[in-house]
Amino acid sequence: MSMSIEISFSKTAKISGGLVVALGSLSEPVSAAARSVDPAGQLDKAVKVSGFTGKPFSTADIIAPVEASADRIALVGAGDPGKLTPHDWMRVGGKMFTLIRKAEKVTVLLGDGGSASPEATADMALGLLMRAYSFDLYKTKKGEEDENGSRKLTVVIQHEDAAGCKKAFVSRQAIADGVKLARDLVNEPANVLGPVEFAARAKELEALGVEVEILTEKEMKKLKMEALLGVSLGSVRPPRLAIMKWQGGKPKDKPLAFVGKGVVFDTGGISIKPAAGMEDMKGDMGGAAAVTGLMHTLAARKAKVNVIGIIGLVENMPDGAAQRPGDIVRSMSGQTIEIINTDAEGRLVLCDALTYCQERFKPQFMINLATLTGAVMVALGQHHAGLFSNNDDLSQALSKAGETTQERVWRLPLDPAYDKMIDSKFADMKNTGGRYAGSITAAQFLKRFVGDTPWAHLDIAGTAMGSPSTDINQSWASGFGVRLLDELVRANYEG
Ligand code: BES
Ligand code: MN
Ligand code: ZN
């Protein structure tokens, strides 16, 4: 990694050299705190010249005035700080990172009057960390951003309630680390991250107190997971099912369950995909990455809840041993599936993982995440994930968490009329429903495997990767789902 960032909070700010970043508001673009660094009073003049007014998410970079105790002073606008949402504060932090990326030592001065609460300050720090993420493991030539190879950046944020900030930051650091894990897994190429290697990364969560079981091919055969195993037939790399267990609640409390599609690479199989853009299919394990990142976050912040994470890990390849269109497989549930298109493989992985999850753990709910259909991008683009659910309360709670975190979801319908589209001549169902409503028929397929358990399916094909750059993410992989589901758990299920 190019940079490690250490964030701390301090009641007092002893400034001797380094970079100072001050928060500016519309009513006070240059705060009293910023002025205190500039005894000669030249900052106001410099700000006037730069046009900085304190508008939210605006920045100004100023060479430190003579006599200043800092080498450089920079300003970040917070507009009317009292009106910023938690996500706005993250964006402020993201903007702040663009000013400090080349520094070694940074002191952050917040405005006076306690405009930034400890929570807001911690959100700002989270945004800073998320923006700072980059995946450059395979860049052998050092770019602009890491002139010194692996660098350390120390950020001290000055706040009257430093202890409160530090406390609020614990959960944000856990979120930053979970998002980083999810992004790393999605960015990692498939030659490095096969099913076995992914399972090993999940196993590393044991260091945080997560119990992790890895099922091998042999064990999955015993469980009759023929749908999942069918997808894996064309790959020389064996499949895995990873089960992660976090017991932060009362022993008897029913767990929440999160299930992820982990296709480490999706060629389409015998129904092979066109060459253009196929490299993106290294990210077809974005659902599994989000579940793994979420488990990291929940464990790292010691969430007071019982949670199960299950990820189905396979590779979808064309081969002499691969499954064919027309094949019929028997899922773990006993329901039979006619394979129409081997490229509709995600639902085949998920259906057995959902059956296993439900039978073994009897969870309060199951939420699955998957880069499931190209059609969801046609419907919603890259700014909302598709949400399908058999439960209005769960659906509403997810939508609310989406608004809070700005990892947004949009509910699409389920209906018996769509369900008919996947009936098969030869088996109980087929794995595709034709040209129309591709995301909905995929969801109808999954619905046949969840019984009465409250369930939601998030189709994250448009949001997990190839994401538009934002103030808090510049990486191909967004880590979508980690913050959304952490917020869902925090707001509704921790007593
Ligand atoms: N992994 C793909 C969906 C996908 C496409 C994710 C583009 C991200 C970007 C999925 O396995 C797939 O191939 N779905 C097919 C289903 C079809 C064959 C019914 C699709 O969307 O075309
Ligand atoms: Mn596919
Ligand atoms: Zn796929």
Side-chain angles (χ1 to χ4, degrees):
M1 289 299 106
S2 62
M3 190 186 285
S4 76
I5 301 184
E6 200 191 286
I7 294 184
S8 60
F9 303 91
S10 165
K11 214 169 159 140
T12 53
K14 302 177 243 54
I15 295 159
S16 58
L19 168 61
V20 168
V21 183
L23 211 62
S25 62
L26 283 167
S27 62
E28 201 183 32
V30 180
S31 65
R35 273 201 192 95
S36 70
V37 188
D38 169 35
Q42 294 171 50
L43 204 48
D44 282 284
K45 244 185 262 168
V47 163
K48 232 176 219 156
V49 173
S50 75
F52 179 81
T53 60
K55 237 183 17 194
F57 322 122
S58 65
T59 58
D61 198 353
I62 293 156
I63 305 293
V66 270
E67 290 177 52
S69 46
D71 298 327
R72 230 178 95 209
I73 300 176
L75 302 172
V76 185
D80 181 350
K83 285 195 181 140
L84 297 189
T85 65
H87 183 257
D88 289 336
W89 280 108
M90 290 179 65
R91 290 184 58 195
V92 169
K95 282 290 189 192
M96 191 174 285
F97 179 73
T98 65
L99 293 164
I100 69 176
R101 62 190 331 148
K102 287 184 186 160
E104 279 172 29
K105 201 179 117 201
V106 179
T107 308
V108 178
L109 304 177
L110 303 171
D112 314 299
S115 53
S117 67
E119 280 70 32
T121 305
D123 285 330
M124 184 184 76
L126 169 59
L128 191 157
L129 289 177
M130 282 184 62
R131 172 68 177 249
Y133 174 88
S134 75
F135 184 78
D136 42 23
L137 216 56
Y138 301 100
K139 295 269 199 190
T140 63
K141 304 206 174 55
K142 309 224 175 304
E144 239 196 89
E145 278 160 42
D146 54 329
E147 290 148 337
N148 320 330
S150 82
R151 284 199 308 118
K152 204 171 147 189
L153 169 58
T154 314
V155 181
V156 180
I157 302 177
Q158 193 266 322
H159 194 291
E160 265 180 35
D161 186 3
C165 290
K166 192 174 165 196
K167 190 161 166 250
F169 186 61
V170 172
S171 63
R172 273 65 167 197
Q173 180 72 63
I175 292 170
D177 293 344
V179 170
K180 172 176 159 34
L181 174 57
R183 287 177 179 175
D184 278 347
L185 289 166
V186 172
N187 281 323
E188 197 70 72
N191 60 327
V192 175
L193 194 78
V196 171
E197 292 78 15
F198 195 134
R201 297 290 294 271
K203 191 90 180 159
E204 286 174 13
L205 295 185
E206 285 184 338
L208 295 172
V210 180
E211 261 176 75
V212 184
E213 277 173 61
I214 312 290
L215 302 191
T216 61
E217 189 167 16
K218 202 171 139 198
E219 291 162 308
M220 287 189 269
K221 272 185 183 150
K222 245 197 225 150
L223 289 162
K224 301 196 160 91
M225 294 185 169
E226 217 181 272
L228 183 152
L229 291 169
V231 176
S232 181
L233 288 175
S235 176
V236 295
R237 300 193 283 181
R240 291 288 185 266
L241 191 84
I243 300 130
M244 299 165 266
K245 222 191 277 185
W246 170 250
Q247 292 278 2
K250 298 192 193 86
K252 275 195 193 146
D253 287 351
K254 276 198 197 172
L256 316 177
F258 299 95
V259 178
K261 168 182 174 182
V263 177
V264 296
F265 195 81
D266 181 14
T267 63
I270 295 300
S271 316
I272 198 162
K273 287 179 182 296
M278 203 204 274
E279 67 277 12
D280 284 355
M281 286 301 111
K282 72 171 183 176
D284 208 18
M285 24 55 71
V291 170
T292 309
L294 173 69
M295 295 306 289
H296 181 109
T297 294
L298 295 175
R301 70 173 182 77
K302 299 189 167 62
K304 290 190 178 60
V305 62
N306 298 335
V307 184
I308 302 293
I310 297 184
I311 54 179
L313 301 164
V314 300
E315 179 175 45
N316 190 21
M317 295 292 259
D319 181 79
Q323 102 178 326
R324 293 153 288 263
D327 285 3
I328 294 175
V329 295
R330 189 179 303 274
S331 66
M332 183 183 173
S333 74
Q335 299 178 92
T336 56
I337 305 161
E338 181 189 9
I339 309 299
I340 301 296
N341 188 322
T342 63
D343 197 12
E345 84 298 341
R347 63 201 76 180
L348 300 170
V349 173
L350 285 172
C351 71
D352 280 343
L354 287 165
T355 301
Y356 179 81
C357 177
Q358 191 186 335
E359 285 187 4
R360 177 166 170 198
F361 297 107
K362 303 185 173 41
Q364 287 185 55
F365 68 61
M366 297 193 288
I367 295 177
N368 72 258
L369 295 96
T371 48
L372 203 64
T373 66
V376 84
M377 292 188 255
V378 177
L380 298 176
Q382 298 190 292
H383 304 295
H384 285 87
L387 160 65
F388 301 85
S389 183
N390 62 2
N391 186 288
D392 291 346
D393 291 337
L394 183 57
S395 177
Q396 268 163 32
L398 275 164
S399 297
K400 183 148 187 250
E403 285 309 312
T404 304
T405 56
Q406 287 296 294
E407 289 196 333
R408 291 181 292 168
V409 299
W410 197 263
R411 194 175 185 181
L412 293 166
L414 291 165
D415 190 277
Y418 295 108
D419 189 61
K420 264 208 222 132
M421 293 166 75
I422 55 168
D423 286 338
S424 157
K425 265 199 295 269
F426 299 106
D428 295 334
M429 70 195 90
K430 48 189 186 180
N431 78 329
T432 63
R435 239 162 58 76
Y436 292 160
S439 302
I440 302 177
T441 51
Q444 293 290 163
F445 182 99
L446 297 177
K447 185 174 182 289
R448 292 191 183 201
F449 295 86
V450 302
D452 296 329
T453 306
W455 157 79
H457 153 51
L458 296 172
D459 193 334
I460 60 172
T463 49
M465 55 190 173
S467 327
S469 291
T470 67
D471 287 338
I472 58 169
N473 180 42
Q474 300 280 311
S475 168
W476 181 71
S478 64
F480 185 98
V482 175
R483 287 191 303 116
L484 170 73
L485 298 174
D486 176 70
E487 171 63 16
L488 176 85
V489 172
R490 189 202 64 75
N492 302 284
Y493 298 97
E494 289 190 70

